């Protein structure tokens, strides 16, 4: 496919600004997470956009923690956010900033607005402020404190800072227009009193600036050119511009783009936090979570995520993307790169009666048919093997090409074997072992007389196999909420089959010392990642990233018809 570069609307703006010399040819973006949770794949869209634009146009991208809410923020989140951005393949160089670095400057700007008669200290309670604000259909009412004179405002603001007043008793508000049709312009709160310890500034402050006041000025201080944010900030842009214009400082432009939404999951830190706290998942990095930490543990690669984001693109109209596209991008990436190995998830013992006891042969296995440079490896083959229980049927249906009494199959890279008999558990009657015979002339899997054998099964040598726990995952949320159930009623929306753990799985011997994070294709079963968190001595734990069946093509086709 020819690489044709079509510009999204943000890159078009950037190119136009470069052409007209709007910011002296500079491109400077930032990614401004609030450290109140782990990053999810929606954030990856914003990260990818901001860092890639900087890269593509020879610019810079800052990382700035928007840490203005001391009650919600924690160091753990700061660390995880930095780790995740690096993992995605981006770097902020020496430009790591915190909004809290600017608390002093922001205070001075607030004083300046008071002196200009553009801000006032208000004694209304939070409830009263809400009440005075009016609604979309009704204008608000002026606060009775709106016309305090500058001297009194300066004095009260200084005393707010000095800690003289209790939480919630006063605020500093911008003096704009209580009748503005944009509710954000109805004298928004700039500062609130909060006697709380901040993760960086400790107890230095007991008043904290609000997001809208902080964000535009932080952008201005860092001389950002294009302040890209998701669409919910569109109605805040007027306020962003108002603060910067009134103060007459350097003025970046805010540009809004549509948030990424995905089917079968939630992309909101608040909701993800609930999932963790209510115990619906085990942790922020549970492999079912759409967090970057969860996706990484699941076996997602940064390359697959970036390819997914490239395909999703950047636009203004909100859309919900099928999660199958994300899975498709991972399959494509791993198909090209992942080593093929053999792993038996539900083992059934298979004994080759005519194979000499104690003999072990080494057979050669191709590591990746998609990548000839990946080479081959040796696998032990012996008299006792494990095969997949689901590859045997006593009473096979039509077109069954796997094992059944009297049927011959190929053991991948090994020999042809025929099932002669079964051994049953005397009490339950369950088949516990297959008694087979092999064709000694069929090494490599081809019959000497050219007879056709259609089924090819994976297997592992029983005495050499290593034990593992394997976890299979399905989408976190049900496809449709059950009748009368809200989408966020997690109790009833979680897919009860989203996680299945199988223990006693048998892997080929080379996987015994796989590094955590190793990703392989278990032949015929999917792609799996050695769990970095849970793997333990003697029994590794593997998470299934995706199955081999790609459902994206079907969805895409029905959409294009649609
Ligand atoms: P959430 O709603 O999940 O809590 P947030 O917007 O409150 O997310 P922030 O830490 O404020 O989280 O987000 C940092 C940046 O990431 C912001 O610029 C925001 O616009 C962007 N962002 C957050 N969620 C998405 C998303 N789903 N798609 C695209 N960008 C997003
Ligand atoms: Mg936010």
């Amino acid at each position: 496919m020819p690489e044709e570069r079509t510009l999204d609307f943000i890159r078009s703006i950037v190119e136009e600004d470069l052409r007209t010399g709007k910011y002296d040819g500079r491109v400077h973006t930032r990614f401004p997470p609030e450290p109140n949770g782990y990053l999810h794949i929606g954030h990856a869209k914003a990260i990818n956009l901001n860092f890639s634009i900087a890269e593509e146009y020879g610019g810079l991208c800052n990382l700035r923690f928007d840490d203005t809410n001391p009650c919600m923020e924690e160091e753990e989140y700061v660390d995880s956010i930095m780790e995740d951005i690096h993992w995605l393949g981006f770097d902020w160089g020496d430009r790591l900033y915190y909004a809290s670095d600017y608390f002093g400057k922001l205070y001075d700007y607030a004083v300046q607005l008071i002196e200009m008669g553009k801000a006032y200290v208000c004694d209304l309670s939070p409830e009263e402020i809400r009440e005075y604000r009016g609604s979309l259909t009704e204008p608000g009412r002026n606060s009775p404190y709106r016309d305090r004179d500058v001297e009194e405002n300066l004095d009260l603001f200084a005393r707010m800072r000095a800690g003289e007043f209790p939480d919630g008793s006063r605020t500093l508000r911008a003096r704009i227009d209580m009748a503005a049709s944009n509710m954000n312009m109805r004298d928004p709160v700039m500062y609130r009193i909060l006697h709380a310890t901040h993760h960086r500034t400790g107890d230095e402050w007991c008043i904290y600036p609000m997001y809208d006041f902080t964000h535009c000025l932080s952008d201005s201080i860092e001389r950002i050119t294009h302040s890209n944010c998701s669409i919910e900030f569109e109605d805040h842009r007027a306020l962003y511009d108002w603060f910067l214009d009134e103060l007459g400082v350097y003025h970046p432009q805010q540009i809004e783009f549509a948030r990424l939404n995905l089917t079968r999951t939630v992309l909101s830190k608040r909701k993800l936090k609930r999932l963790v706290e209510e115990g619906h998942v085990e942790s922020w990095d549970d492999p079912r979570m759409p967090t970057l930490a969860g996706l990484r543990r699941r076996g997602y690669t940064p390359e697959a995520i970036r390819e997914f984001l490239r395909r999703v693109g950047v636009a203004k109209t909100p859309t919900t993307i099928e999660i199958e596209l994300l899975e498709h991008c991972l399959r494509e990436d791993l198909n090209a790169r992942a080593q093929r190995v053999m792993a038996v998830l539900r083992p059934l013992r298979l004994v080759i009666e005519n194979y000499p006891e104690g003999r072990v042969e080494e057979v050669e296995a191709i590591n990746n048919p998609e990548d000839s440079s990946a080479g081959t490896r040796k696998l032990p083959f012996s008299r006792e093997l494990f095969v997949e229980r689901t590859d045997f049927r006593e009473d096979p249906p039509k077109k069954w090409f796997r094992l059944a009494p009297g049927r011959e199959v190929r053991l991948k890279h090994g020999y042809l074997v025929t099932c002669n008999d079964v051994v049953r558990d005397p009490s339950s009657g369950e088949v516990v072992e297959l008694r087979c015979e092999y064709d000694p002339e069929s090494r490599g899997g081809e019959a000497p007389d050219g007879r056709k054998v259609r089924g090819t099964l994976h297997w592992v040598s029983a005495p050499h196999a290593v034990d593992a726990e394997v976890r299979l995952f399905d989408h976190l949320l049900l496809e449709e909420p059950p009748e009368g159930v809200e989408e966020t009623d997690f109790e009833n929306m979680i897919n009860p089959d989203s996680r299945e753990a199988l223990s006693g799985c048998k892997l080929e011997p080379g996987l015994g010392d796989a590094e955590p994070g190793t990703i392989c294709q278990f032949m015929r079963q999917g792609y799996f990642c050695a769990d970095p968190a849970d793997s333990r001595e003697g029994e590794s734990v593997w998470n299934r990233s995706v199955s081999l069946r790609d459902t994206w093509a079907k969805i895409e086709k029905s959409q294009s018809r649609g």
Side-chain angles (χ1 to χ4, degrees):
M1 216 169 47
E3 261 300 326
E4 199 180 305
R5 218 166 140 260
T6 47
L7 292 183
D8 57 64
F9 82 101
I10 297 184
R11 285 174 171 85
S12 300
I13 294 172
V14 170
E15 292 204 356
E16 179 64 9
D17 292 344
L18 284 172
R19 206 180 55 76
T20 61
K22 186 165 175 186
Y23 302 101
D24 312 320
R26 286 186 314 117
V27 174
H28 202 148
T29 56
R30 86 286 171 265
F31 174 64
E34 184 181 351
N36 62 347
Y38 279 60
L39 296 181
H40 52 65
I41 188 156
H43 294 111
K45 176 175 179 176
I47 294 168
N48 186 49
L49 177 75
N50 284 303
F51 281 94
S52 296
I53 284 182
E55 237 167 67
E56 288 161 30
Y57 297 100
L60 299 169
C61 181
N62 298 354
L63 171 60
R64 182 200 317 138
F65 286 103
D66 240 308
D67 56 349
T68 52
N69 188 355
C71 305
M72 304 294 287
E73 295 155 5
E74 288 173 33
E75 209 55 42
E76 174 196 349
Y77 298 137
V78 169
D79 295 340
S80 77
I81 287 169
M82 293 201 275
E83 183 185 351
D84 289 346
I85 298 172
H86 275 149
W87 176 72
L88 274 180
F90 297 109
D91 188 40
W92 51 89
D94 56 359
R95 293 172 314 283
L96 167 61
Y97 302 112
Y98 293 83
S100 56
D101 295 340
Y102 310 136
F103 281 172
K105 283 187 183 159
L106 294 172
Y107 183 86
D108 294 342
Y109 282 128
V111 168
Q112 209 177 314
L113 286 171
I114 295 173
E115 285 167 345
M116 293 162 63
K118 298 288 182 180
Y120 62 96
V121 172
C122 181
D123 301 359
L124 293 180
S125 68
E127 297 74 48
E128 288 166 327
I129 289 183
R130 212 170 304 131
E131 209 184 292
Y132 274 72
R133 211 168 162 229
S135 66
L136 284 172
T137 50
E138 273 173 66
R141 282 177 294 140
N142 284 349
S143 158
Y145 306 97
R146 198 173 197 260
D147 295 319
R148 271 183 169 145
D149 65 34
V150 170
E151 288 318 305
E152 188 182 0
N153 279 320
L154 285 174
D155 173 61
L156 285 172
F157 189 49
R159 289 165 60 196
M160 275 169 65
R161 180 194 179 166
E164 284 188 32
F165 310 121
D167 289 1
S169 60
R170 287 192 161 92
T171 54
L172 182 72
R173 297 177 68 179
R175 197 165 183 277
I176 308 179
D177 178 7
M178 287 308 291
S181 56
N182 181 344
M183 302 270 290
N184 293 300
M185 302 300 275
R186 294 184 186 174
D187 290 12
V189 173
M190 294 164 56
Y191 270 89
R192 67 218 152 114
I193 302 174
L194 203 60
H195 290 82
T197 305
H198 186 277
H199 75 117
R200 282 178 64 82
T201 57
D203 293 323
E204 193 183 335
W205 295 88
C206 61
I207 55 171
Y208 288 95
M210 302 300 285
Y211 174 87
D212 283 318
F213 179 62
T214 309
H215 195 78
C216 56
L217 285 163
S218 305
D219 281 349
S220 174
I221 292 167
E222 293 174 19
R223 300 191 73 75
I224 299 303
T225 57
H226 301 85
S227 179
N228 304 309
C229 60
S230 41
I231 203 78
E232 69 272 23
F233 293 104
E234 194 167 28
D235 290 343
H236 297 242
R237 194 192 329 127
L239 187 52
Y240 183 104
D241 291 338
W242 188 88
F243 283 124
L244 299 180
D245 287 340
E246 292 299 329
L247 288 164
V249 293
Y250 169 82
H251 196 147
Q253 66 179 312
Q254 174 177 307
I255 306 170
E256 307 87 16
F257 61 90
R259 293 174 76 88
L260 173 67
N261 299 303
L262 268 186
T263 56
R264 308 296 298 270
T265 191
V266 288
L267 292 186
S268 138
K269 275 183 287 190
R270 199 167 35 81
K271 292 179 191 161
L272 294 172
K273 192 169 185 176
R274 264 189 57 203
L275 288 175
V276 178
E277 284 172 355
E278 294 172 17
H280 300 296
V281 296
E282 286 174 357
S283 52
W284 281 99
D285 69 349
D286 186 302
R288 290 168 293 176
M289 291 280 270
T291 53
L292 295 176
L295 291 168
R296 178 163 63 238
R297 242 181 105 186
R298 179 81 174 259
Y300 270 83
T301 60
E303 291 82 359
I305 292 174
R306 287 172 71 162
E307 171 60 17
F308 167 73
L309 295 169
R310 192 190 66 78
R311 290 195 185 202
V312 167
V314 179
K316 252 188 168 359
T317 348
T319 48
T320 299
I321 307 293
E322 310 286 340
I323 199 163
E324 286 83 358
L325 176 60
L326 178 62
E327 294 167 350
H328 170 78
C329 292
L330 181 61
R331 269 189 206 98
E332 268 193 349
D333 184 32
L334 297 183
N335 179 48
R337 303 202 272 165
Q339 177 171 340
R340 275 56 170 171
V341 298
M342 295 207 277
V344 176
L345 304 191
R346 297 171 178 88
L348 176 60
R349 191 173 286 270
L350 182 157
V351 178
I352 306 173
E353 293 179 306
N354 61 336
Y355 195 90
E357 275 210 59
R359 174 153 143 204
V360 179
E361 276 179 77
E362 286 201 315
V363 299
E364 180 128 336
I366 294 171
N367 285 333
N368 185 352
E370 301 286 322
D371 174 7
S372 54
S373 72
T376 61
R377 69 189 182 288
K378 298 264 196 280
L379 289 176
F381 185 92
S382 69
R383 180 183 154 89
E384 297 207 10
L385 311 172
F386 288 116
V387 293
E388 207 68 59
R389 185 165 283 278
T390 49
D391 281 338
F392 173 78
R393 289 274 188 94
E394 266 195 290
D395 238 342
K398 272 208 185 101
K399 294 202 174 163
W400 177 260
F401 300 118
R402 304 183 230 171
L403 278 166
R407 298 288 180 90
E408 185 172 41
V409 297
R410 174 180 304 103
L411 296 176
K412 182 86 184 170
H413 309 306
Y415 288 92
L416 299 176
V417 295
T418 304
C419 177
N420 291 334
D421 205 356
V422 301
V423 178
R424 289 172 199 283
D425 179 306
S427 54
S428 68
E430 190 197 12
V431 173
V432 290
E433 192 174 294
L434 306 179
R435 307 297 290 189
C436 297
E437 113 186 49
Y438 87 123
D439 178 349
E441 302 302 314
S442 65
R443 191 178 155 112
E446 292 314 318
D449 60 359
R451 69 181 182 277
K452 215 165 158 188
V453 176
R454 294 184 67 172
T456 302
L457 307 187
H458 62 275
W459 53 274
V460 293
S461 167
H464 302 94
V466 294
D467 288 320
E469 178 179 319
V470 172
R471 295 169 184 167
L472 307 177
F473 299 105
D474 194 358
H475 300 129
L476 184 58
L477 299 187
L478 293 170
E479 189 156 11
E480 296 281 341
E483 192 89 32
V485 166
E486 293 265 338
E487 305 247 356
T488 49
D489 176 358
F490 296 133
E491 206 63 60
N492 293 301
M493 270 308 290
I494 297 278
N495 175 4
D497 302 320
S498 64
R499 181 184 192 276
E500 183 186 4
L502 304 171
S503 57
C505 306
K506 302 289 182 180
L507 315 185
E508 64 171 70
L511 296 177
D513 49 13
E515 286 290 318
T518 302
I519 304 171
C520 294
Q521 185 194 96
F522 290 2
M523 290 176 69
R524 304 174 62 221
Q525 331 233 34
Y527 296 97
F528 291 76
C529 177
D531 193 315
D534 285 355
S535 285
R536 44 193 179 262
E537 198 66 31
E539 193 188 45
S540 52
V541 173
W542 293 75
N543 295 323
R544 182 161 73 190
S545 319
V546 274
S547 68
L548 293 176
R549 206 181 62 222
D550 196 335
T551 45
W552 171 244
K554 214 166 106 196
I555 293 171
E556 193 178 32
K557 211 163 144 196
S558 75
Q559 281 180 346
S560 67
R561 253 191 266 118

